[in-house]
Every structure is written in C-alpha cells, then in structure tokens.
Amino acid sequence: MNREQIRVLLQDVADQTCDVDQALGLLRDMPFEDATVALIDHHRALRTGIPEIIYGAGKTPEQIVMIVERMLASAGHAIVTRASRGAAEAVQQRFPQAHDYAVAHMLAVGEFPPPGPGPFVAVVSAGTSDLGVAEEAALTVELLGTRVERIYDVGVAGVHRLLEQRQRLWQAGCVIAVAGMEGALATVVGGLVDCPTLAVPTSVGYGVSLNGLAALLSMLNSCAPGVSVVNIDNGFGAGVCAHMILRGNRCV
Amino acid sequence: MNREQIRVLLQDVADQTCDVDQALGLLRDMPFEDATVALIDHHRALRTGIPEIIYGAGKTPEQIVMIVERMLASAGHAIVTRASRGAAEAVQQRFPQAHDYAVAHMLAVGEFPPPGPGPFVAVVSAGTSDLGVAEEAALTVELLGTRVERIYDVGVAGVHRLLEQRQRLWQAGCVIAVAGMEGALATVVGGLVDCPTLAVPTSVGYGVSLNGLAALLSMLNSCAPGVSVVNIDNGFGAGVCAHMILRGNRCV
Amino acid sequence: MNREQIRVLLQDVADQTCDVDQALGLLRDMPFEDATVALIDHHRALRTGIPEIIYGAGKTPEQIVMIVERMLASAGHAIVTRASRGAAEAVQQRFPQAHDYAVAHMLAVGEFPPPGPGPFVAVVSAGTSDLGVAEEAALTVELLGTRVERIYDVGVAGVHRLLEQRQRLWQAGCVIAVAGMEGALATVVGGLVDCPTLAVPTSVGYGVSLNGLAALLSMLNSCAPGVSVVNIDNGFGAGVCAHMILRGNRCV
Amino acid sequence: MNREQIRVLLQDVADQTCDVDQALGLLRDMPFEDATVALIDHHRALRTGIPEIIYGAGKTPEQIVMIVERMLASAGHAIVTRASRGAAEAVQQRFPQAHDYAVAHMLAVGEFPPPGPGPFVAVVSAGTSDLGVAEEAALTVELLGTRVERIYDVGVAGVHRLLEQRQRLWQAGCVIAVAGMEGALATVVGGLVDCPTLAVPTSVGYGVSLNGLAALLSMLNSCAPGVSVVNIDNGFGAGVCAHMILRGNRCV
Amino acid sequence: MNREQIRVLLQDVADQTCDVDQALGLLRDMPFEDATVALIDHHRALRTGIPEIIYGAGKTPEQIVMIVERMLASAGHAIVTRASRGAAEAVQQRFPQAHDYAVAHMLAVGEFPPPGPGPFVAVVSAGTSDLGVAEEAALTVELLGTRVERIYDVGVAGVHRLLEQRQRLWQAGCVIAVAGMEGALATVVGGLVDCPTLAVPTSVGYGVSLNGLAALLSMLNSCAPGVSVVNIDNGFGAGVCAHMILRGNRCV
Amino acid sequence: MNREQIRVLLQDVADQTCDVDQALGLLRDMPFEDATVALIDHHRALRTGIPEIIYGAGKTPEQIVMIVERMLASAGHAIVTRASRGAAEAVQQRFPQAHDYAVAHMLAVGEFPPPGPGPFVAVVSAGTSDLGVAEEAALTVELLGTRVERIYDVGVAGVHRLLEQRQRLWQAGCVIAVAGMEGALATVVGGLVDCPTLAVPTSVGYGVSLNGLAALLSMLNSCAPGVSVVNIDNGFGAGVCAHMILRGNRCV
Amino acid sequence: MNREQIRVLLQDVADQTCDVDQALGLLRDMPFEDATVALIDHHRALRTGIPEIIYGAGKTPEQIVMIVERMLASAGHAIVTRASRGAAEAVQQRFPQAHDYAVAHMLAVGEFPPPGPGPFVAVVSAGTSDLGVAEEAALTVELLGTRVERIYDVGVAGVHRLLEQRQRLWQAGCVIAVAGMEGALATVVGGLVDCPTLAVPTSVGYGVSLNGLAALLSMLNSCAPGVSVVNIDNGFGAGVCAHMILRGNRCV
Amino acid sequence: MNREQIRVLLQDVADQTCDVDQALGLLRDMPFEDATVALIDHHRALRTGIPEIIYGAGKTPEQIVMIVERMLASAGHAIVTRASRGAAEAVQQRFPQAHDYAVAHMLAVGEFPPPGPGPFVAVVSAGTSDLGVAEEAALTVELLGTRVERIYDVGVAGVHRLLEQRQRLWQAGCVIAVAGMEGALATVVGGLVDCPTLAVPTSVGYGVSLNGLAALLSMLNSCAPGVSVVNIDNGFGAGVCAHMILRGNRCV
C-alpha cells in the first residue's frame, strides 16, 4: 500500500465510504513495506545518491549486459566492478559509449557527475602490484563525484618516497592506503596525516602472505590513530567509505 | 639543527664568516629531524588537537600516575584507556578531580572542551555485554570534543528494536556499530544509514566466536556500503576515527 | 502510535476534524515500531511461548538477581544459563523457591509448564565430561515444556553401548547429540535415526581438540543425513531448536 | 543368518535334530548383522522414505549413469547432486525423461511424490550468487515430497526487503536461510520467526570470506533462537533436515 | 539376554515349553547387546588385557577415588592419568598402596604384571620439559606389561647425543619420540630405525609453537618412513599403541 | 674411509710403515660417514628390506623413467607413488612389464616378493571417494610383502555395514582406517579391534572439510585406544607403518 | 632541491642576492627528500651495491623487458626473479646475452662481479623438490658477488648424509638451509655449525604441509642457536641476507 | 672410546699385541660419539664461545639454582632467561654476586667478557611494551661479548622519531628490530639500513594481534631487503644470531 493508496483510503474514511474499523484493519494488515519501509528505501535513494553497483565476479557477460540495461533505464548510469575481459567486451559492444577501465577491472556506462571542488581523497599505494586495487578505489571515488589524487608506488621499504609526498597528503580530506605484503604503509601514512585513513589490504604477496591476510592483520593492529580497514582487495568498498566521509565534509 | 640554528648559519654565510661549501656540508649532515621532520610533529599536534592517550593495559598504577603527571604539565589534560581498578584508584588519589569512567575502563584528568554543536556520532551496540567497548568509543568521541548519541541494546536478533531508532540514526554524521557474537549489527546498520559506519567487533561470545574473530570476519565481509572496521574491542580507535570524520564536517 | 491511537486518528478523519493530508502526514511519520513492528514483537511472544533467557556469563550476581526480578514480574518465570555458584546463591537467597541445576549451571525461578505428552527429545552424550552441556540442553527442553530422555555416556569408541539404546532412539522425535573429542557421535547417531539430529560439539578434550573446534568441524562434515550443528557448548541453543521442532510436531 | 534361518535353526532345536549347545554356538557366532543389524537397515529404509542420493562431485558421467541405472532398478527414482554439465548430458542421453535442474546442479530421474498439503519450508537467500545453493536446498525438499516457498534476494543490507516478506515467513514450518558474505541473514531471519531456522553458509564472497568460513562462523554465533547450521554450500543437507522436521509435523 | 539366558530359551524350545515363533520373537527383540554385542565387549576385555584407564583431568578427587574403588573391585587394578596433586593425595589416603608417579601425573593402584621378556619400547625425548609426557608414555607401556628403555634429553639441535644412542635404538621393537618446539626428533629418529616410530608432539615451547601445533604439523609432515602421530601431549595414547604393537610381536 | 681402507691403515701400523700418531690423525679426520655412519645406511638397507620409493608428484615423466632405471639397476625393482597418467605411460613404454595401478596412482616395476603367510593388514575405507588413498595403502603393504584384506565402503553413517565385518577385523594384525569427511571411522574401528589402528585422513569433502583437516583433527582426537595418525592422503605412509608393525609380528 | 641547488642558494646568500629569511623559508619549505632524504637513497645505493631486483611474478613479459631495459641503462645489469618461461624467452630475444637460470626461475642481464675470495655461503637443501628455491638463494648470493657452496639433497631422514658434509659446513661463513615437509633440516644444521643459519621453508609437501606453513613453524621453533627465518620459498630474500652478513665479514 | 683410548689401541697394533682384524672390529663397534662425534661437541664449544643458556620458563627456582651451580663449576658463568621473580631471588640468595636484569627477566652469574671494540648491534624497539623483549636481546648480545646500542620507543606511527636515529643505525653492523602490534618497524628499518636486520615480533597487542602472530606475519612478508625473523618474543634468539653475525665481522 503506497502513499497514494493510503491517501485514497483516508479519503474514503473522510467520505465515510469506509468505516473506521475497516480502515484500521486494512492499515494494520498492510504490508508495512508499503506504508513505511518502502519510504526508507526511497529516502535512502534520495539522500545517498550512490548508484547501485554491479559486482561482476561470477556473473556471465550476458547477465551483466542485462543488468546494465535495466540500471540505465532506471538510473541513467551503471557501474560494474570486477569485470572480466569478456564482460567488458560484451558491455562495450552493446553500449559503445561505455568506459572500460581495464586496470581497475571496472566499467562505467552513462552520465556521471564531474568531481566537485571540495576536499579530495588521496589514494596511496605501496607497489605496482597493488595498482588494480588502488585504481578500483580511485575510480569509485571519482565516479561518485569526489576528487582524487593518486600517490602510487610509495612503499615503506623506502620510506623517503612516501615522505616526499607529505605535502599532498596533508591536504587530503581522507586517505586510502592500499598495500599487500606486510601492509605497513597504512601505519606510516596514518602516523603522518590527521584525516581518516582507510586501509585496503591486497592479496599481493607470496609465502605466508596468506592471500592478503598478513596485510589485513597488520592493518587491523596499526598503532596509528584514525585507521580503519576494509576487506582484502576491496578497493570499491574503500572508495564508497571515502566518498561518504568527504560528502559529509562538502555539503555541511 | 633547528630553525634558529639554520638562521644563524645562513647569517654566517651572508656575513661571509662561513663559506658556502662549509655551510653545504653542515646542512647536508644536519639530522633532518631538526630541520624538517620535527616540524611534522609540531604541525601535527597543532592540527589534530588529539591529546596523546595513555594505553593503560600492562602498565603499573605508578607508571600511569607518572605519565599522567607529565601529560598534565605539558598538555593540560590526560586520558587513560584500559585502566585497571588499581590504576583508577591511584590516579584519583593523586588527582582528586580525575573522572573515573568505570564501565569504559577510562580515566580523564584535566580540562576537556565540551562537545561542539555540529553533527553527532551515533554509538550503536548489540548487547549489554558490549557496553564496555561501546562506552570506550562514546567517551573517546566526547572527550575529543564531538557530540555522541548512545543507542544501546539493539541487536539484530530483534531487528525492530533497531528500526525504531532509525530516525536518530539518520541524523548522525557517523555511526559506530559495536557488536560481538555474529557481528550482524554492522551490516544492518550500514544498510540503513548513508553516513560512514565504523564497525567494532567485540570479544563477547563463546564457542567459535574465537574471541571476536567471528564478528571481525563478519564485519569485514559486510555487504552494506560504507562500512570499515577496527580491531576487536578497539572502541578507542573507532572513537578517534569518528571524531576525525566529523571534525572534517564541522570545520569546513 | 499504537492501534488505539490510529483508531482515534481515523475517527478524526471520519469526523472530519482532521483532514486527509494531515492524517497522511501523521501516518507516514509514525514510528513504524508503534504501528507495525511492535506487533511483530507481541505476535512473537504470543506464538513462541519461549520465555526470555538470562545468559549469566559475565554478569554479576546482583545484575542477575535484578533481571530475574524484572522477568518474574512481567513473565512469571525466569531461566538463567551459565550461572556461577555466586549467582546461584544470590538468586536462591532472594528467591528461595528457585531451582538450582548445578550440573547444567542453570537456574529456574517461577512456574513452568510440565512437559506435555507428545514426542520426546533424546539427549545423547559421549562421555561424562560432556554432562554439563548435555544437561543444559535437556533442562532447556524440559523447562520449555517438552519431554526429554537422557542417554548418557555412549561414546562411539564402544559403539555397542550406543546400539543398545537404538530402540529408545527410534522413538525420539528429535535427537541432540553432545560430544567433544572427535565428535563422531553425531554421525553414528545420525546414521541410526530418521528424525532430525542436532549436534552439539563440546570443548572437552586436549591437544588439538582446539577447545571444541575439532568436534565442531567433524560434526559439520558429518556424512549422515539430517544433522545440523550449533555452536560449541551451546546446549541451550540446541534445546531451543529441539523444542521448536517438536512443538511443530505436537500442535499439528 | 537371517530371520528365516534362525527360524529353521529353532525348528531344528524344537525337533531335536540340533542340540542346545550346538544352537547356542551357532547363534553366538552368527554375524549379528544378519539377525539384528540388517533389520536396522530395513527398518530405516521403511521409515525414512528418503531415497539414496548420488553425490556427483568427483564421479565420472559414466559412473553416475551406472549408479542411476542401479537405483532406478531398485528404488524407481534417483537424485544426483553436484552434477557437472557432462554428467547432466550423459544422464539425459540415457534417460530422456530425466529432469536437469541446472541452477541447482541437480538431476532427478523417475517418479517423485508431489509435495503434500502440510506446512512448507521457506528457503530464503541473500544474494543472486547464493542462488545455486538455495535451489539445491529447495529442490531437495520438493523431491522428498515437502512443499517449498522461495524468498530470494533479501539480503540484510537492505533489511526492509526481508521485512516485506514477514507474512510468508510466519506461515512457514521451517526456514532455510542461505547466505554468504557475512551471513547475517540467518540471525535476522531467526529473530523474526518462531519455527526452526537452518542456516546454510555459502562460499560466495572474496577477501577474508575464506570460502564461506566467515559466514559459517557468523551463523554459528547467531544470537537468534532456534538457529542451527549445516556445512558450507550444503543446500542438500539443509533440505534433508528441513524435510525431516516437517515430516514430523505432518504425520503426527 | 546373556548367554545363559539364551541357553535357557533354547532348552525351552528343545523341551517344547516354548514354541519356535515365540522364541524367534524373543530373539529378534532381544537387545542385541545382550546376545551379541555384549560378547564383543567381553571378547575385547579378554583379548586386550588393557585395563580401563581413568582420565583424571576435570574430575574432582572424590570422583576419582570413587571410580578407582569401582575399578579395583571389578578389575583388581586402576590407572589414573592427568592426576592433579589433590587427586594423588586423595587416592593415596584411601589406598595407601597406590603408586604416585608425580612426573607423569599418573597413579596406579593394585597389581600389575611385571614387564615381560620380549622386545622393548624405546621412549626418546628431546628436552627436559618433555619429561612429563615421556614418562606418561613410558609408564603406560610398563603398566600394560611391556618393557621400556628411556632415552631422554637427546634433542636434535645436538644430533650427536642422539646418534650415541643408536645401538639401543636399533634393538627396540618400537620407538616413541616425544618432542615439542619444532618436533624434528621424530624425523631424525624415524630415519635411524627400522621399527615403527610413534611421534608425540608436546605443548612445550613459546611464540608460534601454538601449544604444540607446530610440533604436530612437523611430525605429520615427517619425511622419514614408519612414523605415525598421536595427539599433542598424548603420552598415554602413544604408550597404548606401542604396547599393542609389541604385544603382537611377542605372542606370535 | 671405508672398512677396507681402515684395514689397510691398521696393517700399515702393524707393519710400522705408519706410526701411531699419524694413524690417529688420519682416523680422527676421517669423515665418520665412511667409518661408521655409512654402516648405518648399509645396515638399514639390510634390515628394512624396504625399497626406496619414488614420490612422483612434481616430477616429469622423463625424470621418473630415469630414476626407475637407476633403481632397477641397483635394487631390481622400483615403486612410484602419485604417478600421473603421463608418468604411467612413459614408464610402461620404457618398461612394458611395469604394473600400472591406476586407482592408487602407483607403478611397480620388477620383482616383488609375494605376500607372506603371517598376519594381515585390514584396509578399511569409508566411501568410494576414499578409494584411491585406500588402494595406495593396500598396494604399499602388498608390494612390501605383507598380506592385505580390503574392507571398503563401510562408512559409519551406516554403522552396521562396518559391524558386519567385525570378524575379519578381529583377525587382522593391524588396521588402516581411511576416511575423509568427519573421519569418525577411525574411532569406531579403533573401538572394535585390539590391534593398532593407523588412521589416514583423506582430502575428500567440501565446505569446512578444509581439504582433510577436519578429518585429521577428528582422528587425532579419537577417544579409541591404539589409534595413531599419518598425514592427509598419506596412504603410502600408513602402508609402510603397517608393514613394519606386522614384520615385527612375523619374524619373532 | 638537490645538492647543487642548495649550493647555488647558499652562494646567493653569500653574494647577498638572497637574504637570510628568504633562504630560510626556501630551505624550510624544501621538500626534504631533495635536501636530505634523497641523500639517504644515494647513500644507500653507494653502500649497498645491491642492484634493484625485478620480481617477475604477476608481470607480463613485455613489462619485464621494459623494466630490464631501464635498469640496464641506469645500472648496467638487471636481475629477474620468479621469471616465467614466457618472460625468459622475451628477455632473451631482446637481450641475447641474458643468462636464463631455468631451475631458479631467474634471469640475469649485464655484467656482474665475480664472487670474491672471502668466506662462502653454504646452501643446504633437503630434497630434490627444494632445488628451485635453493638455486634461487645460491644464484642471488653469487650474482651479488659472494661465493657459494651447494650441498643438496641432505634431508635429515637420513641424517648421515648431512653429517658427511660437516667439514664443508664448518668452513662456511653463513648457511642457508632450504627445506619443505617438516623443515627439520634447519635445526640439525643450526646445531652443527657456529655461524648464522638462515632457514628457508619451502612449499614442497602435501597434506597438512599447508603450502610450507608446517616447515615455517618448525623453523621458527627451532631449538638450535643462531637460526633466523625468511618467508616461504623466499630463496632470494635469504640470499640477500647471507650476502649482507658475509660482506660485513669481508670488508672489515 | 676417546682419543687416548684409540691411541692405546693403535699402539697395541703397532706393538702387535693386537692384530689388525681385532682392532678393526673394535674400531667398527666403537660408539662413534667417542671417536668422532664427541669431537664435534668439543670443537663446537671451542669455536662458538657461546655458553649454554638456561631457559628458565617452566623450571622451579630449585632446579635453576642446581643447573647454575653445575654450569658455574664447568664453564665459570651461567645465564638464565625467562627467570621468574622467585628464580631471581633464589639464585641471588645462593650467588650474591649474580646480576638480576629484571626488565629482561634474565640472570647472569660469573665472569663475562666485556664487549669488544668492533661493530655494534643496534637494538631498536617500537613501544615501551616491547621493552622486555628488546632488553633480552640487548643483554644477550652484551653478555656474549658484543657491543650494543639501544634505540627504543621509535615506533613507525611517528616515523620521524626513527628517522632522527638514522645516523646511529647506519653505523650498526646488525640491527635487531623488536615490535608488536603491526610489526611495521622491521620493514621501515630494513629499508633504511644496509646491514642485516633481525626482526623480533612481540606478543604485545590485543584483538587480532593473535599474541604476536600478526606482527610475525608482517615481518615475514617484509618487502625490505635483508630482513630475517625469529620466533615471537625470542629476544634471546635474535641476540645470539646478531652476535654470530658480528663475531664473523670482527675476527676476519
């Protein structure tokens, strides 16, 4: 029962074509998703402005094309993460205007707002092997409309390379630190800046890197203030977090 | 070599009492912490306004009292986390004005800014056993000068208790979700709000809760947008993150 | 806004003392917990008949006495699990009629329905060290009003002891299999009966029993049909499940 | 030595063509499987009505076809789980009437009883990636003769989608909750219903989802009443459990 | 129904005071433990000669005394493993003739056969901290009636100490290798001898010894032939295995 | 310096063509492997009669053929375990008389002693998927010259199938119990027999079977006497152990 | 701002074309990497003499060729580790003089200093399957200019093979012990020598070798003095460590 | 048979009071520990100069006093690690001249060589909680006769504190990096210096620090060159390694 239906019901009560107990019964039995919960959803959509994202892993190119179509129709744009080459080609064949971000394994179709003028997110990565995850984070932030600065290849085994970038880091409103191996980057970055640091462990490494678990544990145990962590390789998740943090900054 | 010393050296060069190569040598060998890095630290202190915190676990009451004294002298206030009863008593005996937050196992001595008027942090917790960690988070936020609303005992096994609080949640600028057991609270909260959610797994539970590891894994795998995670029982860390996020909001 | 309040509002609409849009606004803004979700809770309480249980671990005797008082006032009875000796004594001092089930570490205060005449739950345990968990399961079932048969000390290293009990097992409507060590009991029991088997791993054991993890893994990998598993030492959880399964049996 | 043989032996004793000690020796040495244990098996088959299931993983198409043939001859029907495409094609070529349930990776050949009129099992799943496991559970229940309702794609990151389905959930006699990622669905479902909930963790996810281990731990730690858990991706096992639970309901 | 009862029944049949069908019914329904399975147990006891052992951990001194009493009455002797000091004192107070093996945390009451003349078990241990477990193994072997040679403190970090003992090792019929830390002893011993080696990891160590898990893994991965492993600290289990192996040797 | 060389040296001393100190120096510096340790090796080879085995995994067919050639030349026979199909074909092409045991993934070339008349090893396996590992164990025992009885497909979810075989089990001198999933077979077998039981966990299973770790843990925690364990899927290792155990039996 | 630029600035001050405060500002704001930190890097390069190494895993042949080109231009030589066959071929096609060390999966292009005359590193390995990692270690040491002795195939299951090599081991300045399976080699070697032992666990093994984790744990728990450990399969890392240790030896 | 005995035997051969074959037999049967292996031990003691160390954990004060006595008699000095307060008091009561290093939990009795003039070991630690382990490392180095510089409390969350110490670090011949939490210190130090870095993870931390496992994994995955790792909290082991590395440096 949506708003309009409730209005009609109330009008019927006002018109006395429906008596009070009957209306009460209808209201009580109404699936509350119609009256109330659906509002949550609507409300959310209005406030967040975050388009639904298609998680491409484990979906066939055909499925992805189909979902993109549906999302374009309803929302005017679509983002695909973890897109295989096959998915990228299928989407581009169907939507020649689609952007294929191969390094980040992402696709974007439709219109996206240009990043606004507010504070930016600094995406910092340790090694070239972390590039894919770093780009997934950076692109997510940009597609959501927030500005990004990329500071790549500044692993802490040569800590001076990172220190050289401290001026840019100090201007950021939020830092995303992407690192595999021992994940020490998040701690050193977190100790340099005074804005929130989102740490993204990557599955880069070998031996007991345990597919990123070593970096994850390292980051969770960081002794630097203001560091929180997302799942291994979850550049997208970090991007959404960072955008949410800076959106608060910007609008207020 | 600090700023003043460099100035003297440069003056000597200008006065030609020191020649260029000699000055170059002195500059090259100067411990850069004096010239540059020390500035980092000073700069940080100025910008962050986050007082040093004393991590009380594993320190004797005497050690804690001594550190508090030193911090009061230099900074005018001190915060102790993970304070044992013995530490609390020792600190209060020495500083009768100290506040003893027994539930949070925290102590605060000295003057703290009252929370400002900006957006607030909602601290949400699942069960009464999570109370200590939730309070550690909430008090940290407040002592750093940011406003908090406490929404406790809203575990998702009775999801309506949480839904009843959605209006307050929607007004928060950042949510800290504290939960042990299966940690599902972070996901449900993250799906309701559009601000950043900081998830704090707690070591509450038994069986294969693995001292909070089950909740931690659950939170890292959350499918809700905007969720990042801190270490198990790390209410203090979440509080610092949340304060940093909202401070950005407020000052801009 | 509860049912009565909605009725008043609708009457106002019918009486035209409140116009339709005004009513719509009120309804839309009503905290849905009042109109709808609260019903869930009420509904649940009516249907389940499962009294709230007090998890005693980590609560002081005083806290437990206080919660028991509140529950007696509202529900007429109270159950405490994981009750320490101190808690047991405090509760018995305050409520001399309280039952103290020391082996199961449980307390029960107030009136409980006698187990009905329907099918029974067989609680099977492997060794004497599993007794506490087995009793927690058995008592939970009984206090919820379902009949129990106890078949203890029938570990599978002497499989004939279990086989001797097969007649009683075949009459059960649900079996709870409690075992530590290698947890093989659940598989052998599950292979003997054709009703659901609830497996409870216990933390009994040493070496790489890993506090019950070995038994838990064993049970999750059981190749017998109809076996599902609860957390380590969670006799209470298994008891609630078993009661729910047989209540279905009984009422239809 | 089967029943008939024992009868003959006893007759011989009665006829005094075999003396008592001789008979005693024969009885003592009889493989008890013949006299007693074999009855177990027969008895079981009669009572359970659960056809033997072929676990297809790790078997060649030829092996599967051969086992299906044998089971059709003896039981009149056969079910294959975890059937590869190759196995599906081989079975359909040999038995054109075979049903190929591609999403669930199951095959069914022969006659199956139509689901009866009693209570139904609600199979609830979190995301589209959990579909295969959910369908394995649902089909298993149906092929065993119990009614199913499918409630898919109701992950708790958008908890209202699940709440919208609460009426159908309240009518179920047993719920199977299928979820990967953080597995929070089982807890939220378990908190909404008052019938048994069978939780099935799935290996969907990435990062530290650990191939379903994160969801498994989350479900084992569920704080909702009445939740028990089966192995990761074990839709079939949950289906058998649910059928056993409701069969009790129906026949009594 | 025991042997005598079956004999009576058969006599009744022979005497025709019981007809065949009646006897068949009685036999069919007889709890097979009486007719057959009990024989297993009796048979086992006769053949194994292994007295029941009381696992002392987690039992009160009173419980242990009670069980010892019962076992003395039925078997003439009793062995307690993992006996606390309290248990040792309680048993000795009640049975002054009891032997208290403090290093092995074992107690023995009653008559035990002196070790026979056959091949012996060599119990080899790495360090002094492994002594308790090594003695538990050695005493178990001796109390079961098999001869033991103790070769202690021959850790492989000084491999020559072990090599000096090779003559004695070569004469053993079975070796028990007890080691914590990295557990390498089992491999080196297994490479020196040509009889079976039973490896016992101990929980001695620190850091990532993981309470013996490192040693256990090391031993399971041993590249030496003829090595099998028992649980961490399970000296008793290794002793029983070794006795079984040599008993076979001796009797044939 | 081998035996002959020492003899020559001593002769030189006796002949006084070499003085005592010179000889002492030569003896002291002699690589002791020549004088003493090499004897170990020779001694071992003489006593064990266990041919070197080629572990085929990770070796190319060419490498395997080359090693087989070398072993045939020196020992007269060769055994390959974990042989790929390619290796099997390459070996058979070169040695047409080679036996290819495809199920066990083993190859045997040359003459092997027929199993002797002594006690036999019973190889018991739980499911058809454990067949490969069970056959690796059984063939190893047979090729080493010890008799084997195979008792397959007797998983404990239908415990009567195992009990039917108890007579054969009671005659075995050693049992190898092969099982994946929950590994309960080892415990039930160990409780039935009074000879040593070697438990072989297999990597069969899914979900949290963790590639055999669940079965391994279960077997290490077995509460049955006389059970020791080898590594996951290590049928070969169990076969060597069992042969060593029975060889002791036989020769004495 | 590099050294030359600082010199120019100082000259300007001396020439009074730049006043002191202006110079101070420039120096203070200079990215300190230019003034100071860059010197670190330069300094390091001068002292270490360790060429940058290309970690080939996860890079395309094209990427590797490109990086080799750049490194040849700047440093005159390049080393690639973990080079796939494709990478090896691409590099050799472009640089025909490149050395392809197939067993070690390494490539070396350009001029390398011949190993000097100082102490050598003994690289000891347990089995033929550890050869690749052992060679990666040995080649790394040699390419860095330090002498190596290879002592392969001396696993401790036949400890005499290792003992035969003790003379060579005693002459080494550092030992690298490479072993998979149970990793006991490191302990036995560490107990024989009095120079530092670098232990390299390898991922060779099966069952619960856990891809080298068992060997790693074993080595970390070694009770031999002077043993430290690098990551699983990290032959390169051990080689660099060993070179650093001996370079110290040589130059002083 | 020791050197003198062999000499006598050879003399007998020379004197022809013992014939060659008889001597050969005696030599062949001689326990080689006497002839050869014992030399290893003697040789080792001569070369290493590392006194035996008493690992105090798990030993009673009486046991420790007794071992110290024995070691003083034979070696003239003794070192105890992991000494409890009770042990310290007992040792000091018996040997008033004993040094009690309370922070390091070490005791030293007797004469120790003063640290020599060669290169020094820098012991770097991250936080005050790592002090005990750092001191155990530093004292070990000093007691073995090598010079130490302590650089404490330079955790990488404030990386400038570490950079300030780079001059001293560059002069060290070996660095021991002690850190708990995320263990990033080892990587940053390893990237700054060009001598070997020994990383010591400590069990300091909470949450998923897993008693030092997170730091251990981080250090094993370090991307800095020249880093090797010892067990958690194993300051003593790192001290011995560092001493061995620098002793090489010094003597050559």
Side-chain angles (χ1 to χ4, degrees), chain D residues 33-104:
Chain D
E33 65 280 13
D34 293 342
T36 322
V37 184
L39 296 177
I40 299 174
D41 218 36
H42 187 59
H43 195 213
R44 253 207 102 194
L46 287 179
R47 281 176 67 196
T48 62
I50 297 184
E52 288 270 346
I53 308 286
I54 305 161
Y55 181 67
K59 300 206 175 70
T60 62
E62 295 70 35
Q63 290 177 311
I64 290 175
V65 164
M66 198 177 60
I67 307 179
V68 167
E69 274 176 355
R70 214 158 50 208
M71 282 178 56
L72 279 181
S74 70
H77 51 212
I79 297 175
V80 186
T81 62
R82 312 275 164 123
S84 64
R85 289 323 302 151
E89 283 156 18
V91 168
Q92 285 201 304
Q93 190 158 5
R94 175 71 186 76
F95 308 100
Q97 80 280 23
H99 287 274
D100 174 13
Y101 302 99
V103 173

Side-chain angles (χ1 to χ4, degrees), chain G residues 6-132:
Chain G
I6 300 178
R7 177 193 298 273
V8 170
L9 174 65
L10 290 172
Q11 195 59 58
D12 286 349
V13 173
D15 297 346
Q16 319 222 328
T17 61
C18 169
D19 76 16
V20 165
D21 281 327
Q22 203 176 349
L24 187 63
L26 286 167
L27 279 170
R28 187 198 157 189
D29 291 342
M30 73 187 174
F32 59 67
E33 64 280 13
D34 293 342
T36 321
V37 183
L39 295 179
I40 299 174
D41 217 35
H42 187 59
H43 195 213
R44 258 208 95 193
L46 287 179
R47 284 176 66 195
T48 62
I50 297 185
E52 289 268 347
I53 309 285
I54 305 161
Y55 181 68
K59 298 206 176 70
T60 64
E62 294 72 35
Q63 290 177 310
I64 290 174
V65 166
M66 199 176 60
I67 306 179
V68 168
E69 273 176 357
R70 215 159 49 208
M71 283 177 57
L72 280 180
S74 69
H77 50 210
I79 296 175
V80 186
T81 62
R82 311 274 164 123
S84 64
R85 290 322 302 151
E89 284 157 18
V91 167
Q92 284 201 303
Q93 189 159 7
R94 176 70 187 76
F95 308 101
Q97 80 279 22
H99 287 273
D100 174 12
Y101 301 101
V103 173
H105 299 102
M106 289 176 73
L107 304 170
V109 199
E111 292 301 303
F112 290 90
F120 65 87
V121 175
V123 178
V124 184
S125 75
T128 49
S129 339
D130 304 315
L131 201 60

